[in-house]
């Protein structure tokens, strides 16, 4: 018994210290994710925001400090020219617009492909459902970089697809698929498709079958039942899956770099170029902060709209 008390003594001491600081029960559960977000999101965000307000310099690190001490007073120097430079140079605006277009179209394609798959998995019997979910998550067991590299072997002029089409006689010369926007869309949809399927499946599997039976008993055809019952009830899963594909696709770098052409100018490639090629960390940080703001504002508006819709219902 004494050994058990000695073993659990550190846990009891930790619990008593947390309770003394007012972190007990529900507060402790909330404190863990808050601490995680503060350490791995808020602090890096503040560091990047600070760099975006500085000036580039030939130094290590390659920017000037925004706070200096002359012995008697602290001098703050904020440089807003980095953000003004983003508005003056059309390169960044074009990269933002193209990234939004690619992410939106890719999310729409992933929704069109992933919804039937998620619906079929949700309506499958239990043994088959487990197998299908395993197949959906199977690509995660392989390196993301290797999967993108594999598409180069499929899409290049002497790749698997062109060789097969030439062998069947459907084409006379190889199709240009690699280093095109089509390859970028294909790579993004393939990579992020599980992020669309899993939220949709989690929503559709909870759908009450009696609602579909009631719709059929009232004389509705299967297509009308889908658009009037299934689709509205699966809207939370659609929104969640769409955002899980749309948000990371905007800042994607690896897929446009490996599958896209030189004119495939997405914001992730611009960030990499500013950080590592131009060594202009302040401008690169301003690009990152502007992209984050452009993403957070519509997400907050969407969340507020969802909250109001839930309150009304």
């Amino acid at each position: 018994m004494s050994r058990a008390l000695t073993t659990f003594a550190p846990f009891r001491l930790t619990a008593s210290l947390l309770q003394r600081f007012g972190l007990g029960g529900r507060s402790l559960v909330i404190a863990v994710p808050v601490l995680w977000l503060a350490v791995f999101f808020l602090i890096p965000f503040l560091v990047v925001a600070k760099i975006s307000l500085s000036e580039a310099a030939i130094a290590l690190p390659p920017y000037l400090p925004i706070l200096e001490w002359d012995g008697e007073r602290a001098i703050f120097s904020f440089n807003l020219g980095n953000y003004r430079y983003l508005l003056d140079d059309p390169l960044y605006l074009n990269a933002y617009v193209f990234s939004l277009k690619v992410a939106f179209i890719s999310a729409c394609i992933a929704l069109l492909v992933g919804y039937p798959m998620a619906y079929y998995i949700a309506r499958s019997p239990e043994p088959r459902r487990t197998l299908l979910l395993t197949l959906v998550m199977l690509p995660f067991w392989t390196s993301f970089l290797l999967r993108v590299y594999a598409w180069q072997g499929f899409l290049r002029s002497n790749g698997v697809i062109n060789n097969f089409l030439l062998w069947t006689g459907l084409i006379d010369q190889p199709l240009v698929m690699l280093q095109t926007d089509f390859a970028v869309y294909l790579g993004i949809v393939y990579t992020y498709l599980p992020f669309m399927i899993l939220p949709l499946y989690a929503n559709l599997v909870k759908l009450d079958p009696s609602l579909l039976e009631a719709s059929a008993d009232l004389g509705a055809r299967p297509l009308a039942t889908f658009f009037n019952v299934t689709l509205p009830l699966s809207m939370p899963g659609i929104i969640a899956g769409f955002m899980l594909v749309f948000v990371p696709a905007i800042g994607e770098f690896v897929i446009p770099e490996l599958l896209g052409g030189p004119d495939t100018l997405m914001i992730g490639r611009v960030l990499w170029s500013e950080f590592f090629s131009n060594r202009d960390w302040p401008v690169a940080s301003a690009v990152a902060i502007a992209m984050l703001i452009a993403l957070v504002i519509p997400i907050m508006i969407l969340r507020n709209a969802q909250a109001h819709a839930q309150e009304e219902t």
Side-chain angles (χ1 to χ4, degrees):
M1 180 65 69
S2 60
R3 177 179 294 181
L5 292 175
T6 304
T7 303
F8 290 99
F11 296 97
R12 293 184 177 181
L13 178 60
T14 303
S16 63
L17 290 175
L18 292 174
Q19 291 177 356
R20 181 175 300 178
F21 287 100
L23 295 176
R26 184 180 300 177
S27 301
L28 180 60
V29 174
I30 298 175
V32 174
V34 170
L35 180 63
W36 177 273
L37 290 175
V39 173
F40 294 101
F41 176 76
L42 182 59
I43 295 178
F45 172 78
L46 294 177
V47 172
V48 174
K50 182 200 74 171
I51 297 175
S52 69
L53 296 174
S54 62
E55 295 183 15
I58 303 177
L60 191 67
Y63 57 88
L64 299 177
I66 63 174
L67 173 62
E68 294 180 345
W69 179 259
D70 63 354
E72 297 181 356
R73 57 182 180 176
I75 301 175
F76 292 90
S77 56
F78 298 108
N79 178 28
L80 299 178
N82 298 320
Y83 293 96
R84 187 172 60 250
Y85 181 67
L86 300 184
L87 299 176
D88 295 337
D89 194 338
L91 170 70
Y92 302 100
L93 181 59
N94 294 335
Y96 280 123
V97 173
F98 186 76
S99 299
L100 290 172
K101 185 188 80 169
V102 170
F104 181 79
I105 296 176
S106 300
C108 291
I109 297 174
L111 177 60
L112 294 176
V113 175
Y115 196 101
M117 298 174 65
Y119 187 87
Y120 178 77
I121 296 173
R123 293 292 172 264
S124 298
E126 185 57 38
R128 187 189 304 172
R129 184 188 304 174
T130 303
L131 176 62
L132 293 174
L133 285 175
T134 303
L135 293 177
V136 170
M137 294 182 290
L138 192 62
F140 290 114
W141 300 358
T142 309
S143 171
F144 165 75
L145 190 60
L146 291 178
R147 284 184 282 138
V148 177
Y149 265 120
W151 275 109
Q152 288 187 339
F154 280 95
L155 299 176
R156 61 167 53 106
S157 299
N158 58 347
V160 176
I161 297 177
N162 275 315
N163 287 336
F164 176 76
L165 294 177
L166 290 171
W167 176 72
T168 57
L170 296 176
I171 58 175
D172 298 329
Q173 56 184 1
L175 300 175
V176 179
M177 293 181 289
L178 191 62
Q179 296 183 344
T180 61
D181 293 347
F182 165 77
V184 175
Y185 287 121
L186 183 62
I188 291 176
V189 171
Y190 164 76
T191 302
Y192 293 106
L193 186 61
F195 294 99
M196 178 66 73
I197 294 176
L198 295 178
L200 285 170
Y201 162 78
N203 183 268
L204 291 170
V205 76
K206 297 184 295 184
L207 186 63
D208 191 357
S210 62
L211 297 175
L212 306 180
E213 296 174 359
S215 177
D217 293 339
L218 293 174
R221 295 184 177 182
L223 190 61
T225 300
F226 173 78
F227 283 106
N228 295 322
V229 179
T230 305
L231 189 62
L233 292 178
S234 61
M235 194 57 64
I238 292 175
I239 296 175
F242 191 92
M243 297 306 295
L244 285 175
V245 175
F246 177 77
V247 172
I250 292 179
E252 183 60 52
F253 166 73
V254 175
I255 296 174
E257 181 68 19
L258 297 180
L259 302 181
D263 57 340
T264 308
L265 190 62
M266 294 186 66
I267 201 65
R269 299 181 72 175
V270 173
L271 278 172
W272 187 92
S273 177
E274 292 292 349
F275 266 114
F276 298 103
S277 297
N278 300 337
R279 297 282 293 174
D280 196 341
W281 287 23
V283 171
S285 300
V287 172
I289 294 297
M291 182 179 67
L292 182 62
I293 294 174
L295 289 176
V296 167
I297 292 177
I299 291 175
M300 292 178 61
I301 295 175
L302 180 61
R303 294 290 299 175
N304 290 333
Q306 287 181 325
H308 288 304
Q310 291 178 356
E311 292 177 358
E312 292 177 358
T313 56

